[in-house]
């Protein structure tokens, strides 16, 4: 999907992948904000579409990065299950498969940044302590998809 100059190469495959991702994003954001629930079907569709994009050469995730984030999210869920829902873990794993290079690290950094801002707003506005983390992950994924390699290089994470 991204060539050596970080120019996005558009094709019907990329368009189809992004339209499918946008549909899943809309559904996940709605259900997570409304009911604090992430539908498994949407996550499976996301995972399958990201694996298909990977297999088609549209995106090239870094295996070590995907494994590191998978283990970190599973560990957080095991050690602190009330702090992170299983839907968030599954969504993070599905999204990592669609991040180019080390963009998954950028996705997580952005997700945590958006979560901190959102948590502050929600707490000051309604004194609510629960936060839908899925929308933050998705915002981080979309930004990492298009700007992840540039951000990772800027942070010195890529050779």
């Amino acid at each position: 999907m991204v060539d050596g100059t970080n120019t996005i190469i558009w094709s019907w495959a990329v368009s189809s992948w992004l339209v499918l991702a946008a549909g899943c994003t809309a559904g996940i954001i709605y259900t997570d904000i409304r009911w604090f629930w992430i539908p498994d079907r949407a996550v499976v569709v996301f995972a399958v579409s990201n694996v298909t994009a990977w297999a088609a050469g549209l995106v090239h995730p870094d295996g070590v990065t995907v494994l590191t984030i998978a283990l970190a999210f599973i560990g957080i869920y095991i050690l602190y299950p009330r702090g992170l829902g299983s839907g968030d873990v599954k969504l993070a794993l599905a999204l990592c498969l669609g991040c180019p290079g080390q963009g998954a690290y950028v996705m997580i950094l952005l997700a945590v940044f958006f979560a901190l801002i959102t948590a502050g707003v929600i707490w000051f506005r309604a004194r609510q302590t629960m936060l839908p983390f899925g929308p933050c992950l998705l915002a981080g994924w979309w930004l990492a998809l298009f700007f992840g390699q540039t951000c990772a290089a800027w942070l010195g994470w890529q050779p």
Side-chain angles (χ1 to χ4, degrees):
M1 178 169 153
V2 179
D3 66 9
T5 62
N6 285 338
T7 304
I8 297 173
I9 303 166
W10 289 102
S11 68
W12 67 270
V14 173
S15 298
S16 300
W17 175 42
L18 295 179
V19 166
L20 189 59
C24 290
T25 297
I28 291 169
I29 288 174
Y30 177 76
T31 58
D32 202 15
I33 289 174
R34 180 111 169 129
W35 297 293
F36 296 100
W37 170 70
I38 297 176
D40 286 339
R41 287 183 184 167
V43 173
V44 168
V45 170
F46 233 127
V48 169
S49 67
N50 283 344
V51 168
T52 304
W54 185 1
L58 301 178
V59 67
H60 305 284
D62 179 59
V64 173
T65 303
V66 172
L67 183 61
T68 301
I69 290 175
L71 291 174
F73 267 73
I74 291 168
I76 291 168
Y77 180 71
I78 290 170
L79 295 174
Y80 191 60
R82 291 185 44 103
L84 189 65
S86 63
D88 296 322
V89 173
K90 292 181 267 188
L91 180 60
L93 300 180
L95 294 176
C96 281
L97 298 172
C99 285
Q102 295 178 332
Y105 289 135
V106 175
M107 175 189 74
I108 298 303
L109 286 175
L110 290 170
V112 170
F113 175 73
F114 293 137
L116 288 171
I117 292 171
T118 305
V121 170
I122 288 174
W123 190 82
F124 282 116
R125 195 160 183 232
R127 299 292 191 246
Q128 180 180 335
T129 58
M130 285 195 60
L131 169 72
F133 190 56
C136 300
L137 279 170
L138 288 162
W141 181 77
W142 281 101
L143 289 170
L145 182 64
F146 292 104
F147 306 111
Q149 289 179 311
T150 303
C151 291
W154 181 72
L155 293 168
W157 291 347
Q158 291 184 351

